[in-house]
Amino acid sequence: MRPPPPAPLPFLLLLLLVLLVHLPSPPAEAAAGPASAWGAISAAAGGRRRVASPAEQEAAAAGVLGRLLPSHARSFRFQIDSKGGVCGGSSCFRISNVDGSGKNGAEILIQGTTAVELASGLHWYLKYWCGAHISWDKTGGAQLASVPLPGSLPQVKATGVKIERPVPWNYYQNVVTSSYSFVWWDWKRWEKEIDWMALQGINLPLAFTGQEAIWQKSFNVTDRNLDGFFGGPAFLAWARMGNLHGWGGPLSQNWLDQQLALQKKILSRMIELGMVPVLPSFSGNVPSVFKKLFPSANITRLGDWNTVNGDPRWCCTYLLDPSDALFIDVGQAFIKQEMKEYGDITNIYNCDTFNENTPPTNEPAYISSLGSAIYEAMSRGNKDAVWLMQGWLFYSDAAFWKEPQMKALLHSVPTGKMIVLDLFADVKPIWQMSSQFYGVPYIWCMLHNFGGNIEMYGVLDSISSGPVDARTSHNSTMVGVGMCMEGIEHNPVVYELMSEMAFRSQKVEVELPSNLTIPQDWLKIYSYRRYGQSNVDIEKAWGILYHTIYNCTDGIADHNKDYIVEFPDISPSSISSDISKRRTISKMEKHRRFILSEVSASLPHPHLWYSKNEAIKALELFLNAGNELSKSLTYRYDLVDLTRQSLSKLANEVYLNALNSYQKKDSNGLNLHTKKFLELIVDIDTLLASDDNFLLGPWLESAKSLAMTENERKQYEWNARTQVTMWYDNTKIEQSKLHDYANKFWSGLLKSYYLPRASKYFTRLTRNLQENRSFELEEWRKDWIAYSNEWQSGKELYAVKATGDALTISKSLFRKYLS
């Protein structure tokens, strides 16, 4: 039976919510920027493309509701504002009451520009009138128990509530998200993600699945000649960018056909919801056989990208120069093949020719001709094409991309035919240093995550104000907001707030000063919705987390380098002997935001930007709330995540204590700290095993489930295991340059991979100290690299269901290590 509905939200809270959501629209000039660029983008994005009918979109929105909250399928009515009577030509949704509604009839009417606005309006209503919360399943899922029963839904004010988008686009994905997060998804998982996207207001999603089948048909070369071109499933993103080729491959015809069929389902659903998918285009990356087929073509080989020894089997991809006539022919053929397979569904295409690769010359004239050729190839295939480009290259290779080079590329296409993603605007906004991208429309994006690492981290104040500052700045050319994380399914509070900024025309007060008479702020409302009830300890805990973990202002790109998951490849004798002094300085600076400073060129420095003691106080408050909230899946996820992070940061200190003891030739201290470090790995693994969302097993099983043959099964599992561990190639004595880039705090991975690695290191360290010999770094490398390669090819099974009680385990570990 369904539990009785909770008591309605207090009147003052509802009043505040109305104040929060009923925000004025921005001035037209602030939202639009220069009229010429804005008008051209709007016209080109619309152009001639297939758009779902109002009836199809209304049915699609109803489908989202039916899958999310089937008990309320008849409680809402959806209506596309096809004539603009509600939205007046802008993008909006409007929530109003349905007159004469009864127990079996619709109670709430949601009108909107597209089905995305309808779904967003539904989500807004569920959040701010019913106290509900929706996040990814792997971050606790949806909290819908607070939604009243059909027939008793809260009414909005009599005139309704209308919310307009301050900018038209809400973009989603990074070009590598497809590999770090989506690679093993089937249609069931994709359908859930597209629903989530619609609820968050995303209307401009990257759609990269299945493109290898398009390349296969466009290149018109034998399948055998493509075996060394495509990467394996878990490494396709980097093969697409021209960073590598062949690594983890080849791709079977089963994979190509399967992914193309999946892409057609994905695109069909996106179109039904009124989204504008961003499809890939030709960037110049070609198979090696092109050198033979087109001997006069200007094809060069790019430099090494992170291999250990330049192995030609996957190093140094081939690039067809954009100035060559063949470039336009291939680019046009690719766009035409996409249109043949998918229909005329979009005018927006992504291309990143030099993503983590550098052009052969910095001459502005060359760069301009390069940009012109890329766009011409697009426009020959689709005359309305708009080029969407990641602005990451301007940040990652800032020494190359100075003002002349940036202008040359950005101005190489007609006005309004390019949109730039300000990919890292949450930390390093390029729009500020480039005069609004020199007049080119751009999207303010949050990058936030690297490698799909699991780390509690965020900059909530930047998210809540940055898009507004950019949009209202002088001569703004901002046309959207976006989320460009490398991996998803973590830090739900960050993505909740960032998604809301697509509909916020004013800055969000994440936390209000305590002396104000308004009783609630965004963060308190969030915690109420996430767990389905108010709790004083939880509110206090989130206040601490906001000022610590979610207030990183040091400008460092957060990539988890905690010593458990990225174990240093060093000899202790190569490290400065003042480790303890550094630790003392860190303690003295506990009230300042800082990162662990580097004591030698070889010792990695885990990112620490907050007071660990304050975060531990937040954890204690979480534990205090356990008796009330232990049944909540969202609470359990947050509790496990916060406990994990607190213990991992402690392990960093323990590791340094062990090295310090070794340098002092203190064998007792080394044994003590070694034992504690290894115990922490085991205990964190046990903690993670208590929640379904922190398990290695589902990642591996989802990979194997896509296989149709035994060889595919072995290949896919190897791909899945390798990506989260060694990542790329290695020799017997040299690990991959990208080892642990995609590290994960997953139960199973800690015990079976990170623990043996650390144990082998400390066993050898202890023996060397006892025998008064120098640490044999190369011998340890041989030992653990051999173990890693064996593990990568392993077949052992890992749990796919949680075991143990998360609250009990967290309390026990808190007493053992943190109290």
Side-chain angles (χ1 to χ4, degrees):
M1 289 182 60
R2 184 181 176 88
L9 294 175
F11 171 76
L12 284 176
L13 175 55
L14 283 174
L15 175 62
L16 175 65
L17 295 174
V18 172
L19 291 173
L20 282 171
V21 300
H22 193 50
L23 300 174
S25 300
E29 64 274 13
S36 58
W38 179 264
I41 283 289
S42 300
R48 50 171 186 83
R49 64 179 182 87
R50 182 170 68 82
V51 178
S53 70
E56 287 177 303
Q57 294 194 51
E58 289 164 4
V64 173
L65 170 62
R67 289 183 290 274
L68 176 69
L69 201 60
S71 58
H72 290 66
R74 300 180 63 182
S75 299
F76 295 85
R77 195 166 81 217
F78 298 105
Q79 184 181 88
I80 291 292
D81 180 35
S82 54
K83 296 183 179 180
V86 173
C87 297
S90 65
S91 295
C92 86
F93 61 78
R94 182 177 182 271
I95 307 169
S96 59
N97 306 315
V98 175
D99 294 334
S101 60
K103 198 165 189 177
N104 297 318
E107 303 167 70
I108 299 296
L109 170 65
I110 301 177
Q111 300 163 289
T113 314
T114 71
V116 170
E117 278 74 32
L118 298 182
S120 301
L122 169 67
H123 189 196
W124 204 274
Y125 175 81
L126 292 175
K127 285 200 294 189
Y128 289 125
W129 276 264
C130 302
H133 170 76
I134 300 167
S135 67
W136 290 296
D137 283 354
K138 286 186 72 67
T139 57
Q143 186 290 110
L144 299 170
S146 60
V147 180
L149 293 170
S152 56
L153 291 179
Q155 292 199 330
V156 299
K157 64 180 183 177
T159 56
V161 175
K162 175 183 170 183
I163 306 293
E164 291 187 14
R165 290 185 187 268
V167 283
W169 297 116
N170 188 2
Y171 174 81
Y172 182 54
Q173 293 180 41
N174 188 296
V175 293
V176 303
T177 319
S178 57
S179 290
Y180 283 133
S181 296
F182 306 156
V183 55
W184 311 122
W185 285 6
D186 56 13
W187 169 242
K188 182 179 178 181
R189 179 61 187 88
W190 261 111
E191 182 175 53
K192 200 166 188 68
E193 185 72 7
I194 297 170
D195 284 354
W196 180 89
M197 287 159 54
L199 291 163
Q200 308 301 328
I202 292 161
N203 59 5
L204 191 65
L206 204 60
F208 268 24
T209 301
Q211 64 178 278
E212 283 67 33
I214 305 294
W215 290 122
Q216 182 188 45
K217 297 177 182 182
S218 302
F219 282 146
N220 196 26
V221 298
T222 64
D223 294 346
R224 188 173 181 181
N225 284 319
L226 292 175
D227 284 351
F229 178 65
F230 297 136
F235 304 97
L236 284 175
W238 299 275
R240 292 164 181 170
M241 291 187 288
N243 301 137
L244 55 81
H245 62 94
W247 179 251
L251 295 179
S252 68
Q253 192 61 46
N254 287 335
W255 174 271
L256 295 170
D257 295 342
Q258 181 188 65
Q259 292 296 298
L260 181 61
L262 179 60
Q263 170 76 333
K264 290 180 179 180
K265 287 185 177 181
I266 292 168
L267 292 174
S268 177
R269 181 59 54 81
M270 287 178 174
I271 297 303
E272 289 171 6
L273 286 162
M275 297 177 183
V276 179
V278 179
L279 293 178
S281 62
F282 182 55
S283 64
N285 187 25
V286 294
S288 59
V289 71
F290 265 45
K291 291 280 285 183
K292 295 179 180 178
L293 294 176
F294 307 101
S296 62
N298 186 4
I299 298 174
T300 57
R301 199 158 193 184
L302 294 175
D304 186 10
W305 185 84
N306 288 310
T307 68
V308 292
N309 58 6
D311 192 320
R313 288 176 294 173
W314 34 80
C315 169
C316 313
T317 56
Y318 290 90
L319 185 73
L320 175 60
D321 195 287
S323 64
D324 195 294
L326 182 61
F327 186 100
I328 294 174
D329 292 340
V330 176
Q332 177 182 353
F334 182 76
I335 298 288
K336 291 291 188 184
Q337 188 63 43
E338 285 186 311
M339 296 176 75
K340 180 179 178 181
E341 294 286 343
Y342 310 139
D344 196 357
I345 59 170
T346 188
N347 298 320
I348 303 185
Y349 300 91
N350 170 261
C351 181
D352 297 300
T353 298
F354 292 107
N355 195 334
E356 300 188 27
N357 290 312
T358 303
T361 173
N362 65 356
E363 284 297 322
Y366 171 81
I367 293 172
S368 179
S369 65
L370 179 152
S372 297
I374 291 172
Y375 180 71
E376 185 176 354
M378 285 184 197
S379 60
R380 289 271 190 97
N382 181 344
K383 68 180 181 64
D384 297 316
V386 174
W387 178 4
L388 183 139
M389 181 183 69
Q390 288 193 150
W392 178 247
L393 73 166
F394 300 137
Y395 172 78
S396 61
D397 196 1
F400 178 92
W401 292 100
K402 302 298 185 183
E403 181 175 337
Q405 289 75 28
M406 288 180 67
K407 282 184 175 179
L409 182 59
L410 294 172
H411 293 164
S412 64
V413 301
T415 301
K417 294 294 186 176
M418 176 183 280
I419 304 174
V420 183
L421 301 178
D422 196 352
L423 206 71
F424 203 16
D426 51 325
V427 176
K428 300 284 187 182
I430 296 175
W431 68 267
Q432 292 178 336
M433 52 181 274
S434 63
S435 301
Q436 307 280 350
F437 286 93
Y438 306 111
V440 173
Y442 71 94
I443 293 175
W444 193 103
C445 294
M446 176 189 77
L447 178 52
H448 185 257
N449 176 269
F450 292 87
N453 297 159
I454 297 173
E455 171 125 89
M456 295 178 71
Y457 156 84
V459 196
L460 293 184
D461 283 344
S462 173
I463 295 168
S464 66
S465 62
V468 178
D469 289 338
R471 178 178 53 80
T472 58
S473 61
H474 181 64
N475 286 334
S476 176
T477 57
M478 176 181 161
V479 295
V481 296
M483 296 183 286
C484 297
M485 61 285 119
E486 290 193 351
I488 64 169
E489 299 177 322
H490 50 80
N491 290 288
V493 65
V494 172
Y495 293 88
E496 176 100 2
L497 181 58
M498 187 63 231
S499 295
E500 283 199 12
M501 297 312 295
F503 295 98
R504 296 282 192 176
S505 60
Q506 296 177 357
K507 297 179 182 181
V508 174
E509 294 291 346
V510 179
E511 183 181 63
L512 294 171
S514 58
N515 60 345
L516 292 184
T517 57
I518 300 177
Q520 299 282 352
D521 50 42
W522 189 91
L523 201 57
K524 286 182 180 178
I525 295 168
Y526 171 83
S527 68
Y528 173 92
R529 293 188 298 100
R530 180 145 173 85
Y531 311 117
Q533 65 185 79
S534 296
N535 182 283
V536 174
D537 287 325
I538 283 290
E539 289 179 1
K540 290 179 180 177
W542 271 107
I544 294 173
L545 294 177
Y546 165 59
H547 289 287
T548 54
I549 287 175
Y550 291 110
N551 187 33
C552 180
T553 57
D554 59 17
I556 303 294
D558 186 67
H559 191 179
N560 197 330
K561 292 182 176 293
D562 286 351
Y563 294 134
I564 288 177
V565 293
E566 188 171 321
F567 198 80
D569 178 48
I570 53 168
S571 169
S573 58
S574 69
I575 303 174
S576 168
S577 60
D578 61 350
I579 295 175
S580 60
K581 180 185 293 186
R582 178 186 70 166
R583 198 162 53 247
T584 302
I585 293 173
S586 297
K587 287 180 179 178
M588 289 169 59
E589 295 184 347
K590 65 182 180 179
H591 297 299
R592 296 175 55 190
R593 301 182 188 90
F594 62 93
I595 61 170
L596 289 175
S597 56
E598 205 168 359
V599 297
S600 82
S602 57
L603 182 64
H605 46 284
H607 190 192
L608 184 61
W609 63 96
Y610 61 90
S611 163
K612 298 189 300 296
N613 290 337
E614 287 298 303
I616 290 170
K617 288 179 184 177
L619 174 57
E620 188 170 15
L621 290 166
F622 256 86
L623 292 170
N624 292 343
N627 291 337
E628 285 188 29
L629 301 177
S630 60
K631 302 298 183 185
S632 164
L633 296 180
T634 47
Y635 167 79
R636 185 177 73 184
Y637 173 88
D638 292 344
L639 174 65
V640 170
D641 205 18
L642 183 54
T643 307
R644 171 207 59 76
Q645 181 134 332
S646 299
L647 295 175
S648 179
K649 299 307 179 187
L650 173 64
N652 292 337
E653 293 185 0
V654 175
Y655 169 85
L656 295 175
N657 285 334
L659 293 195
N660 195 50
S661 295
Y662 174 86
Q663 291 178 334
K664 292 180 177 179
K665 301 188 182 301
D666 177 4
S667 58
N668 290 333
L670 177 60
N671 289 335
L672 175 69
H673 298 307
T674 293
K675 180 174 182 290
K676 187 173 183 179
F677 187 83
L678 299 179
E679 266 187 32
L680 276 163
I681 298 177
V682 173
D683 286 341
I684 295 174
D685 190 283
T686 301
L687 168 72
L688 298 174
S690 68
D691 190 290
D692 290 338
N693 305 304
F694 294 95
L695 304 179
L696 169 64
W699 171 254
L700 299 181
E701 294 306 313
S702 61
K704 291 183 283 185
S705 70
L706 296 184
M708 299 179 69
T709 68
E710 183 57 29
N711 283 339
E712 288 175 356
R713 183 182 175 89
K714 291 178 182 177
Q715 180 192 14
Y716 297 173
E717 182 168 8
W718 183 91
N719 269 252
R721 286 169 173 257
T722 297
Q723 189 203 86
V724 298
T725 54
M726 191 63 78
W727 207 107
Y728 208 9
D729 64 340
N730 62 265
T731 65
K732 290 183 178 181
I733 59 171
E734 187 176 358
Q735 64 184 338
S736 162
K737 293 180 180 179
L738 296 174
H739 74 94
D740 300 314
Y741 182 92
N743 65 67
K744 301 291 189 294
F745 270 98
W746 283 341
S747 176
L749 190 58
L750 267 74
K751 270 189 180 179
S752 72
Y753 189 82
Y754 299 139
L755 177 64
R757 177 171 63 181
S759 181
K760 289 175 183 294
Y761 182 88
F762 283 119
T763 297
R764 193 173 293 274
L765 196 66
T766 300
R767 185 171 66 245
N768 290 162
L769 181 60
Q770 291 171 344
E771 297 172 357
N772 197 27
R773 290 191 293 118
S774 298
F775 181 70
E776 299 163 321
L777 180 62
E778 189 167 300
E779 292 303 310
W780 172 71
R781 285 174 176 165
K782 287 181 184 178
D783 192 7
W784 96 258
I785 291 174
Y787 177 85
S788 176
N789 291 161
E790 181 181 353
W791 188 93
Q792 290 164 247
S793 299
K795 296 181 180 179
E796 62 276 7
L797 300 177
Y798 293 91
V800 295
K801 291 293 182 183
T803 56
D805 181 78
L807 179 59
T808 300
I809 294 170
S810 294
K811 285 182 175 179
S812 173
L813 295 180
F814 185 88
R815 288 192 297 268
K816 181 176 180 179
Y817 292 109
L818 302 173
S819 64

